[in-house]
Amino acid sequence: MFKIKTYSTDLSLEQQMTSKMAELQLKIQHLDSLHQERLQEVRVLSSHLSHILATSKSENLSVGASGVDSEAQKLLKNLTSFEWGSAALHMPSVYHFLPHLLHNPSSLKPAYQMSKGRNGVSMVLGVPTVKREVQSYLLTTLQNLIQNLSPEEQAKTLIIVFVAETDLEYVVSVAKEIEMQFSPHVEAGLIEIISPPASYYPDLTNLTPTLGDSPERFRWRTKQNLDFAFLMMYAQSRGLFYTQLEDDILAKPGFLTTMLDFSYQKIAKNEPWFVIEFCQLGFIGKMFKCVELPWLVQFFIMFYTDKPVDWLLDHVITTKICSLDKDQKMCKKAKNALWLHYKPSLFQHIGTHSSLKGKVQKLKDKHYGKLMLFYPHTNNPKAVSVEGGVTSYKHHTLVRAYAGEDYFWGLSPQAGDHISFKYDPPINMSRYLFRSGNAEHPSDRFYNTTVEILPAKKPSSEVNVTPDGYVIVGKFDTVGIAEGFINPKLFPIKELRLNIHSESENWVILNEISIDTEQKSER
């Protein structure tokens, strides 16, 4: 047993060293990429300086008139390798494919930015989002991502929320909602929010549709290509890896460590790859090395009107690896060497309403596995009565949900409906947790609902009491969670209830009910 344990420990240390070496190798590549960017900026500056020298020479300006003395001119000449009468060649740039950007110097700067400047992370997660007419899943997605990252994982992650809208008032409203819901994470630099300027986009109505698409679908996918390019350009210098997500997904616990370990193993073995797929749907869960994002950005910008973004990704790989004199079977085999598929999938699509108006898509990744639809708690304190005014659907009753056997699913709640849990004898309830909605129906949440208790003794005037004598101790937040601790001065408690204050268009789900007592906390 001792030998086996030692071998296991040595193997673990070896794996850690291998991963560390792979990480250092990638960091060197990342720093080299940043160095190349600085060199490019120097060349641009050199070009401007050369222009100044040429103007000064052609117009025979004096030293005082040109503002450049002889010593400075010698320095500039050495720096720019400038020779009179020579004309440097100009490489194609983003402006060749998006010439409208030349009209506004701020076209490639975020119109809105909330950032703490976190840099040098292991993973950048890009979450593009747009205004949806039916249901937004953004807060649910962010909540899920964060709760499935350990504190150590959060420290080496950056989540960039790209609000792909030019209505600044809407962008600010989304940013405030995120800041209010995830204040500690925004303050720590884990989450930052950006939006593009209106001048970044060409006039999409003047472009000619391709692939036989309707004008509306063409504009939607064309804008999406430009959105992804902007987000990737912004993220490229911030970390080692970049993963494209969507605003309506779920992630598995420990997803980040799994992704990093898998990628470092490939790098350590000198196995080349361009993209690792951690979800089989669309562009969800596609991971790239940040140093290779310029390949994608350039390709997207060159062909942004021609194909959808996931097709363009496939074309990049095909162009890089496939030979025209080989058959499709050989091409597929070669592509699989650069496009790796990780199973089981780490991300699942949960939305049903596409960002394209009117499009309903119930896409699910079959390799993700079974979704966790409720979180059972079988040790809740015994209640003499579990009841409510919200009618349950089929076998998804409150009694079964409270017992940890199922989730509660109720028909559309109305203002004035209550869900109550009564205790006899009264209990010393120290903490409560209610989580609404679930992976299959994320929008079936409690909205405008307070959590209230009925103490066995008349409460003091210092607390917030309803007209019928219940003390308000909390409410459901914007992602459908109500959690809090109860002041021991209110012990013991006869009843806990959820008080619904407004009608809801959706049904309602309670996927977790957890009640702690003072005795349970001591155990």
Side-chain angles (χ1 to χ4, degrees):
M1 290 293 290
F2 178 76
K3 289 183 178 179
I4 294 175
K5 184 177 181 181
T6 303
Y7 173 77
S8 176
T9 303
D10 290 344
L11 184 62
S12 176
L13 288 173
E14 183 180 346
Q15 290 174 340
Q16 290 179 26
M17 287 296 295
T18 300
S19 294
K20 196 65 180 177
M21 290 295 291
E23 182 182 6
L24 290 173
Q25 179 182 339
L26 197 62
K27 284 183 176 179
I28 291 172
Q29 293 178 4
H30 181 69
L31 290 173
D32 183 63
S33 173
L34 295 178
H35 175 63
Q36 295 298 327
E37 286 185 10
R38 300 294 86 79
L39 284 179
Q40 184 179 355
E41 291 172 359
V42 170
R43 285 199 172 277
V44 171
L45 179 59
S46 297
S47 177
H48 291 312
L49 294 175
S50 297
H51 178 72
I52 294 173
L53 289 174
T55 302
S56 174
K57 182 74 174 181
S58 63
E59 296 182 2
N60 294 317
L61 294 176
S62 65
V63 171
S66 67
V68 183
D69 62 27
S70 58
E71 288 301 316
Q73 289 196 27
K74 288 180 182 179
L75 180 62
L76 292 177
K77 184 176 179 180
N78 292 332
L79 177 64
T80 62
S81 299
F82 178 78
E83 294 183 10
W84 305 117
S86 67
L89 299 179
H90 293 281
M91 293 292 292
S93 69
V94 62
Y95 300 107
H96 289 82
F97 306 105
L98 299 173
H100 65 279
L101 297 179
L102 292 168
H103 301 307
N104 191 324
S106 299
S107 295
L108 292 176
K109 295 180 181 178
Y112 178 89
Q113 182 179 32
M114 180 186 291
S115 171
K116 295 297 180 179
R118 180 178 286 201
N119 270 300
V121 297
S122 297
M123 179 68 73
V124 181
L125 301 175
V127 183
T129 185
V130 295
K131 190 174 185 179
R132 295 176 182 264
E133 291 191 356
V134 180
Q135 177 69 47
S136 173
Y137 309 95
L138 176 60
L139 297 183
T140 301
T141 295
L142 293 176
Q143 177 75 28
N144 178 266
L145 289 173
I146 293 170
Q147 73 183 21
N148 285 317
L149 289 170
S150 68
E152 294 78 15
E153 290 173 324
Q154 289 181 20
K156 51 187 175 184
T157 303
L158 172 62
I159 302 173
I160 301 175
V161 179
F162 177 64
V163 187
E165 299 287 349
T166 56
D167 178 356
L168 202 54
E169 185 177 347
Y170 173 76
V171 172
V172 171
S173 70
V174 173
K176 286 183 177 178
E177 199 170 19
I178 293 173
E179 188 177 24
M180 180 175 65
Q181 185 64 39
F182 305 104
S183 178
H185 303 296
V186 172
E187 189 62 31
L190 173 62
I191 299 176
E192 61 183 65
I193 307 153
I194 62 169
S195 72
S199 57
Y200 171 65
Y201 301 100
D203 184 352
L204 299 178
T205 61
N206 281 340
L207 301 177
T208 303
T210 57
L211 303 178
D213 283 346
S214 66
E216 186 176 31
R217 179 176 177 80
F218 167 75
R219 288 193 293 270
W220 170 75
R221 64 172 171 81
T222 296
K223 178 180 177 296
Q224 187 178 62
N225 286 335
L226 295 173
D227 290 342
F228 282 26
F230 192 101
L231 176 52
M232 289 178 177
M233 282 190 287
Y234 182 84
Q236 192 260 328
S237 63
R238 310 296 291 280
L240 301 181
F241 298 106
Y242 173 84
T243 299
Q244 186 79 20
L245 298 176
E246 289 188 3
D247 63 354
D248 52 357
I249 58 100
L250 291 179
K252 286 184 176 177
F255 70 92
L256 182 73
T257 296
T258 301
M259 296 169 75
L260 293 178
D261 286 349
F262 185 76
S263 59
Y264 287 146
Q265 287 173 19
K266 298 299 179 183
I267 294 171
K269 294 178 182 178
N270 291 320
E271 297 180 9
W273 57 270
F274 186 75
V275 55
I276 303 179
E277 179 176 273
F278 292 97
C279 177
Q280 295 206 340
L281 300 177
F283 223 103
I284 301 172
K286 304 300 184 285
M287 189 180 87
F288 311 89
K289 299 167 192 165
C290 282
V291 295
E292 294 181 343
L293 284 178
W295 286 80
L296 277 179
V297 172
Q298 186 74 18
F299 208 80
F300 291 168
I301 288 173
M302 287 171 63
F303 302 106
Y304 74 99
T305 63
D306 298 301
K307 300 284 182 68
V309 69
D310 48 341
W311 291 18
L312 291 179
L313 173 59
D314 184 79
H315 291 333
V316 169
I317 305 293
T318 301
T319 303
K320 286 175 70 69
I321 202 69
C322 289
S323 175
L324 292 177
D325 59 355
K326 303 292 184 182
D327 58 22
Q328 286 297 314
K329 186 177 180 180
M330 292 294 293
C331 178
K332 184 177 181 181
K333 183 179 179 180
K335 285 167 65 175
N336 286 338
L338 287 186
W339 189 325
L340 306 183
H341 304 269
Y342 181 89
K343 295 178 183 177
S345 298
L346 299 181
F347 303 98
Q348 179 64 286
H349 182 258
I350 60 172
T352 55
H353 299 279
S354 169
S355 55
L356 175 60
K357 183 179 179 182
K359 181 183 178 184
V360 177
Q361 54 182 17
K362 299 183 179 181
L363 300 175
K364 293 288 182 256
D365 188 333
K366 62 182 179 180
H367 295 288
Y368 180 83
K370 192 173 181 180
L371 289 170
M372 188 80 170
L373 298 181
F374 71 100
Y375 300 87
H377 292 275
T378 57
N379 59 344
N380 285 326
K382 184 178 180 181
V384 296
S385 173
V386 177
E387 58 189 18
V390 182
T391 304
S392 61
Y393 176 67
K394 293 186 176 180
H395 60 276
H396 303 291
T397 63
L398 270 171
V399 172
R400 298 191 70 221
Y402 189 77
E405 300 170 357
D406 198 355
Y407 58 89
F408 169 67
W409 199 3
L411 278 59
S412 304
Q414 306 295 313
D417 284 344
H418 297 142
I419 291 176
S420 67
F421 309 89
K422 297 179 180 179
Y423 305 95
D424 188 13
I427 63 173
N428 293 338
M429 184 184 301
S430 58
R431 174 185 170 273
Y432 63 87
L433 168 64
F434 295 97
R435 194 185 304 271
S436 63
N438 67 16
E440 290 187 343
H441 304 277
S443 59
D444 286 1
R445 302 196 296 258
F446 278 98
Y447 303 92
N448 195 18
T449 300
T450 51
V451 181
E452 303 167 358
I453 59 171
L454 183 62
K457 303 174 184 177
K458 185 177 180 180
S460 67
S461 58
E462 298 175 357
V463 295
N464 190 3
V465 181
T466 64
D468 54 352
Y470 288 78
V471 178
I472 300 173
V473 293
K475 65 179 180 178
F476 282 82
D477 60 22
T478 52
V479 294
I481 298 174
E483 182 177 15
F485 294 90
I486 296 176
N487 191 333
K489 293 180 180 180
L490 299 172
F491 292 171
I493 294 163
K494 296 194 299 182
E495 183 181 348
L496 171 69
R497 80 175 181 185
L498 307 181
N499 188 2
I500 301 166
H501 298 281
S502 58
E503 179 183 354
S504 175
E505 296 179 356
N506 302 314
W507 289 13
V508 68
I509 285 175
L510 277 176
N511 74 67
E512 185 172 10
I513 302 174
S514 176
I515 308 298
D516 286 350
T517 62
E518 198 172 57
Q519 291 80 6
K520 282 172 62 177
S521 299
E522 290 172 356
R523 289 202 302 269

